[in-house]
Amino acid sequence: MQPQSTGPNLLAVADLHMDREANRKVLHDIRPETDGDWLIVAGDVADLVEDVEYALRLLRERFAKVIWVPGNHELWTLPKDSVQLKGEPRYRHLVELCRSLDVVTPEDEYPVWDAGTEKLVLAPLFVLYDYTLRNENETKQQALERAHEAGVVCTDEVFLHANPYPGRDAWCRARVAYTKRRLDAIPEDMRTVLISHWPLHPGPTKRLYWPEFALWCGTRLTEDWHTRYRAAVAVYGHLHIPITDIYDGVRFEEVSLGYPREWQPRGLPRGVLRKVLPEPAVLHRV
């Protein structure tokens, strides 16, 4: 149980995967500490649109504000999903769904968090990945072939479509260019909280059990964004390795729940929700 705060707090979670029964039970237990708490949901809520809607509606009813970014699972188009849109049209459908629930998306005006001593711009980002997190002496094709040989291939290769782009890497480059223009417009005297599903820095992928999986974990195009855009903290998920890192003096919080087979053996020693702000007095890096 996390200690109660006088609040309000900026809290975060990712990779709820609430289509798993044990995770659905966890979802129903998520509650704010104070009436003014905001919640970041950093992607991979569920595989099906109807489950994404169910979870975000429930969380929005409980929290003063909810901020969502897509993960790869929301972008999958599964045969059993009632919504068969693919690629960019699917993402836009999810954005409109969130807006109908009063949930902030990467397409909306960036909200501002009043931290008392300063105001921080909360920037939800959707930048995807471009297969550049690979050995420098390998081409994309060589890295993909090595991943296939190792039996480590992300399901995105089957279900995450890039329509109308020629590939996910092209979609990523377009999203990076669009997002960079928006971040450049933030006043230079304001710090940020950068929110994404995939890690913005390649560092966290170094602890992956299967290093080949890094191909599907981000892009080198964002690796300096935490300093370029004056981040007080960067929030992400995807890796299912909940941990705190420090890069260039900036705190990175991986806030995923993950699959029951992952979190049940270790338990939830830090709780389901990670407190992003106020910054904890002691940083727990595991």
Side-chain angles (χ1 to χ4, degrees):
M1 181 68 69
Q2 294 178 335
Q4 295 298 303
S5 301
T6 57
N9 305 293
L10 180 61
L11 305 169
V13 69
D15 299 81
L16 284 168
H17 295 291
M18 54 82 63
D19 38 346
R20 275 67 172 180
E21 184 58 34
N23 286 21
R24 185 176 288 261
K25 292 178 180 177
V26 170
L27 168 72
H28 281 272
D29 288 337
I30 291 176
R31 296 186 181 278
E33 295 180 8
T34 78
D35 291 341
D37 287 357
W38 291 15
L39 179 65
I40 292 167
V41 183
D44 279 7
V45 176
D47 298 350
L48 305 180
V49 170
E50 63 183 46
D51 286 336
V52 174
E53 178 177 7
Y54 177 87
L56 291 179
R57 184 185 302 276
L58 183 149
L59 294 172
R60 181 62 188 89
E61 290 172 351
R62 295 178 177 179
F63 287 82
K65 189 179 289 291
V66 173
I67 300 162
W68 167 85
V69 295
N72 52 312
H73 280 247
E74 285 102 333
L75 298 173
W76 286 358
T77 305
L78 300 179
K80 63 181 178 180
D81 199 334
S82 61
V83 177
Q84 285 296 298
L85 296 170
K86 297 179 178 180
E88 177 82 15
R90 183 177 182 85
Y91 169 62
R92 296 294 169 177
H93 177 83
L94 290 164
V95 167
E96 292 307 314
L97 169 64
C98 286
R99 287 172 170 171
S100 74
L101 300 173
D102 190 31
V103 170
V104 179
T105 80
E107 305 309 308
D108 297 318
E109 182 179 352
Y110 293 154
V112 174
W113 173 263
D114 189 346
T117 56
E118 67 174 322
K119 293 184 177 180
L120 300 166
V121 176
L122 306 191
L125 314 176
F126 168 41
V127 292
L128 207 55
Y129 54 84
D130 63 359
Y131 303 95
T132 55
L133 300 187
R134 61 179 189 264
N135 294 338
E136 293 183 359
N137 60 346
E138 284 184 323
T139 65
K140 170 188 169 182
Q141 187 58 39
Q142 289 171 331
L144 284 169
E145 289 173 359
R146 182 164 57 83
H148 276 273
E149 290 171 0
V152 182
V153 179
C154 186
T155 309
D156 292 4
E157 295 296 308
V158 178
F159 295 124
L160 203 167
H161 305 275
N163 308 26
Y165 298 92
R168 286 170 288 274
D169 44 357
W171 192 8
C172 171
R173 289 191 293 271
R175 290 298 312 182
V176 166
Y178 163 80
T179 304
K180 189 175 183 299
R181 289 193 297 271
R182 294 199 64 195
L183 292 173
D184 285 340
I186 297 173
E188 293 186 0
D189 61 346
M190 296 191 74
R191 293 201 299 164
T192 64
V193 175
L194 301 179
I195 302 161
S196 61
H197 177 66
W198 296 271
L200 297 175
H201 191 283
T205 67
K206 304 302 182 184
R207 59 171 61 92
L208 288 170
Y209 184 80
W210 297 104
E212 295 84 358
F213 192 72
L215 284 172
W216 295 274
C217 293
T219 170
R220 296 190 184 278
L221 294 173
T222 64
E223 64 183 320
D224 69 341
W225 281 15
H226 59 295
T227 55
R228 176 187 293 269
Y229 297 115
R230 308 167 300 282
V233 57
V235 178
Y236 68 100
H238 189 59
L239 303 186
H240 295 196
I241 307 173
I243 197 168
T244 301
D245 281 314
I246 305 292
Y247 297 105
D248 303 306
V250 178
R251 178 164 50 104
F252 280 68
E253 296 284 2
E254 207 279 16
V255 299
S256 61
L257 173 63
Y259 299 126
R261 69 174 184 270
E262 296 165 327
W263 65 261
Q264 286 180 333
R266 67 173 180 252
L268 299 169
R270 296 175 66 173
V272 177
L273 303 183
R274 186 75 54 82
K275 183 176 292 185
V276 177
L277 294 170
E279 183 173 349
V282 178
L283 294 182
H284 299 279
R285 300 198 180 207
V286 297

